[in-house]
Amino acid sequence: MRHSCRRLRRGAVTAVVVGAFLVPVAGGSAFGAPVSVPTTATATEPPSPSDTSNGFTQLTPDVRQQLDDAVRRVMREADVPGVTVGVWTPHQGNYVSSFGLADKSSGRPMSPDLYMRIGSETKTFTVTALLQLVDDGKVGLDDTIGQYIDDVPNGDKITLRELAGMRSGLFNYSEDPDFFKALTSDPRRPFSPQKLLGYSFKHPVLFPPGEKFDYCNTNLILLGLVVEKVSGTPISEYIQDNILDPAGLNHTNFPVDAAFPSPHAQGYTNQTASGDVEESTDWNPSWAWTAGAMISDLQDLHAWARTVATGVFPDGETMISPATQKQRLTTPPTTIPGAGYGLGIFDVQGWIGHNGSLPGYESLTIYFPPARATVVVVLNTDIDYKGSEPSTLFGDAITKIVTPQHVFDLPAQPAAH
C-alpha cells in the first residue's frame, strides 16, 4: 500500500509514508545475473505445474525466469539500486534472488542476508503489542486514548481501535513543514515521541473519529506510548521479549539509536533538504519510532508474514487470541481501490500484510492464505517512479505472475498540491 512509514511530504507536504517528490535519479543500476538461493518445494506429492487450485502458480523454471525478468524490468524503470525478492510456498516451490547493488560506491552486490530498515512494517509489531495487552485485559480496543495520554485533540472520543485502524482524524506529524525542515536539516538528530506529537497537535483535527480512513503515523506514536504506559516497559524491550523472541526473529530489532547491524545495504533517498539524492543509511530512525523505526532481514520477514497473518507463533503457541486476531483482520475498505485496512494490517486483493518505507529503504511483506504463500521484497531506495513506490511496483509485477487472479495492484497516488 502507498501508506508505509515514509514520505515526509507529498508535493508541499505528506506523510512518513505517503506522497512523493518525483525526482528522477541520475545514474544507472546493475541488472546482471541475480544472486539466487536455490530452494525446492517440500511437499511429498507436489502438484503439477498447471495446478493453480489454490490460486498460486507452480514455480517452474519458466516461472522463475519470468520473475527474474519482471524484477529486472521494475529495477530499470524505477532505477532501483538493489533488491532482494523471496517467494515461499509449501507446495508450489520457493524462489529467493537478489539483484543489483547494496552499495553504489563500492559496487558491493545486494544479497539475501542483509539487514534492512523496514519502515511501517514496524506498525505490525506495535499493534501486536497492543493486542497482546488487550488479550491480557489491561486495555480495551474501545477505550479512548484520553484514558491513557493527556492533551490529545479529541482524546475523549478517539478509541485505540480507531488509532490502530487509521481512522482517528488526527493530523499526521510527518506532513508538518516544520517537522520536515527539522529532520532534513539534521537527519541524525533524535526525536522524542512527545516532540513528534507536538508537530501533529498544533493542527486541527481533520474529521470526527471513525468517519473515514486516513493513514497517519501520529496514531502509532500514541499507541506506542500506551504500550509503554500500560506494560511499564520500554517499547523496544516489550517487543523483544513478547514478540521477537517467541517468534524466533533473531535478526529483527527495535533500535534505540541510529545503530545499524552489519551487514546492511546503503540506502538512497531524495527526501533531503536540497531534493538531491543522498545516502540515508545512518539517519536516526527515532523520528519514526513505533510507526517505522525497526530493522529486519529477508528470512525474519518471511517468518513474520505468516505469524502476523495468523496470530500464531511458529511453535504453535498463540501470539494473539483467535477472537482478537479476527478483529485485527477485519479490514474495512479504504480510499485505495481493492485495499482494506484492519488493525495495523492491510488486505490487498487477498494478500495480507504491510509495506514499509522511510528515506532510503522500502519493504513489502505479504501472505496469501489460500496457498500459505509469502512474498517479501526489500530494497534500498524509496524514490517514487511515476507516483508509485517501487515496493508496490515489485509487488504488482510479482503477483501478476504467481497469483494472476489476486494481483497486489495499487494505483499511483497523485501528489497533493
Side-chain angles (χ1 to χ4, degrees):
M1 220 168 174
R2 266 191 77 71
H3 302 289
S4 40
C5 188
R6 125 167 255 228
R7 282 295 170 185
L8 310 178
R9 58 185 198 171
R10 175 158 64 173
V13 227
T14 222
V16 173
V17 191
V18 219
F21 286 118
L22 301 182
V23 180
V25 184
S29 301
F31 306 107
V35 178
S36 298
V37 179
T39 51
T40 57
T42 56
T44 305
E45 295 182 61
S48 69
S50 61
D51 184 359
T52 58
S53 58
N54 58 17
F56 204 92
T57 302
Q58 183 79 2
L59 297 179
T60 64
D62 177 64
V63 171
R64 294 169 189 272
Q65 185 62 54
Q66 291 179 45
L67 289 170
D68 285 352
D69 294 344
V71 172
R72 290 194 186 97
R73 174 181 55 76
V74 173
M75 288 185 73
R76 285 193 301 270
E77 291 176 350
D79 202 10
V80 173
V83 62
T84 296
V85 173
V87 182
W88 298 268
T89 75
H91 299 296
Q92 272 97 351
N94 303 323
Y95 167 97
V96 176
S97 290
S98 291
F99 303 78
L101 301 176
D103 186 336
K104 294 195 290 186
S105 297
S106 68
R108 178 166 55 95
M110 199 72 166
S111 59
D113 62 336
L114 300 180
Y115 286 95
M116 305 289 285
R117 299 196 186 277
I118 62 170
S120 276
E121 292 202 44
T122 301
K123 292 176 171 67
T124 61
F125 294 93
T126 302
V127 174
T128 294
L130 175 74
L131 297 180
Q132 288 181 335
L133 295 174
V134 170
D135 282 342
D136 291 341
K138 295 180 179 179
V139 299
L141 282 172
D142 296 315
D143 293 349
T144 65
I145 186 61
Q147 294 174 236
Y148 302 94
I149 309 296
D150 294 332
D151 302 322
V152 178
N154 265 358
D156 61 338
K157 299 180 178 67
I158 298 168
T159 65
L160 304 187
R161 185 190 305 275
E162 288 162 343
L163 291 169
M166 299 297 176
R167 291 168 172 85
S168 72
L170 293 172
F171 184 87
N172 192 341
Y173 70 85
S174 49
E175 296 187 20
D176 178 76
D178 292 334
F179 165 77
F180 180 80
K181 291 175 184 176
L183 177 63
T184 56
S185 65
D186 183 6
R188 291 171 176 79
R189 78 169 70 197
F191 287 85
S192 68
Q194 292 72 24
K195 182 70 172 177
L196 299 175
L197 293 178
Y199 289 115
S200 170
F201 293 172
K202 68 182 182 180
H203 296 270
V205 296
L206 303 178
F207 51 84
E211 183 176 88
K212 61 182 178 179
F213 173 88
D214 186 61
Y215 194 93
C216 175
N217 293 308
T218 305
N219 298 339
L220 270 292
I221 303 302
L222 288 168
L223 292 181
L225 290 173
V226 171
V227 171
E228 289 198 332
K229 184 170 185 176
V230 173
S231 69
T233 306
I235 190 72
S236 58
E237 293 180 17
Y238 185 95
I239 287 177
Q240 185 69 51
D241 294 344
N242 295 280
I243 302 173
L244 302 182
D245 288 347
L249 304 184
N250 299 321
H251 295 92
T252 303
N253 70 78
F254 192 113
V256 296
D257 52 28
F260 202 163
S262 293
H264 59 254
Q266 301 299 106
Y268 303 93
T269 188
N270 59 1
Q271 295 196 81
T272 58
S274 66
D276 295 334
V277 177
E278 298 177 8
E279 282 194 16
S280 58
T281 313
D282 298 320
W283 286 20
N284 192 323
S286 63
W287 68 269
W289 200 49
T290 46
M294 289 181 69
I295 293 167
S296 190
D297 71 358
L298 185 79
Q299 290 299 332
D300 271 15
L301 293 177
H302 168 209
W304 180 239
R306 183 173 184 182
T307 300
V308 72
T310 62
V312 178
F313 286 123
D315 65 1
E317 291 294 316
T318 299
M319 180 176 74
I320 302 295
S321 71
T324 302
Q325 182 71 5
K326 182 178 180 180
Q327 293 184 72
R328 171 183 227 159
L329 296 182
T330 299
T331 53
T334 69
T335 53
I336 304 167
Y341 198 89
L343 302 180
I345 202 164
F346 64 70
D347 182 329
V348 179
Q349 306 295 348
W351 285 95
I352 298 170
H354 217 288
N355 62 341
S357 179
L358 75 171
Y361 299 89
E362 289 198 348
S363 61
L364 177 66
T365 298
I366 49 178
Y367 182 75
F368 187 64
R372 289 183 289 159
T374 298
V375 168
V376 175
V377 180
V378 290
L379 58 147
N380 59 345
T381 186
D382 67 312
I383 300 172
D384 282 0
Y385 175 70
K386 294 185 177 179
S388 291
E389 294 183 340
S391 62
T392 296
L393 298 176
F394 284 115
D396 178 277
I398 292 163
T399 56
K400 279 179 178 173
I401 296 168
V402 298
T403 51
Q405 303 303 314
H406 300 271
V407 176
F408 188 88
D409 180 20
L410 294 172
Q413 306 283 304
H417 297 290

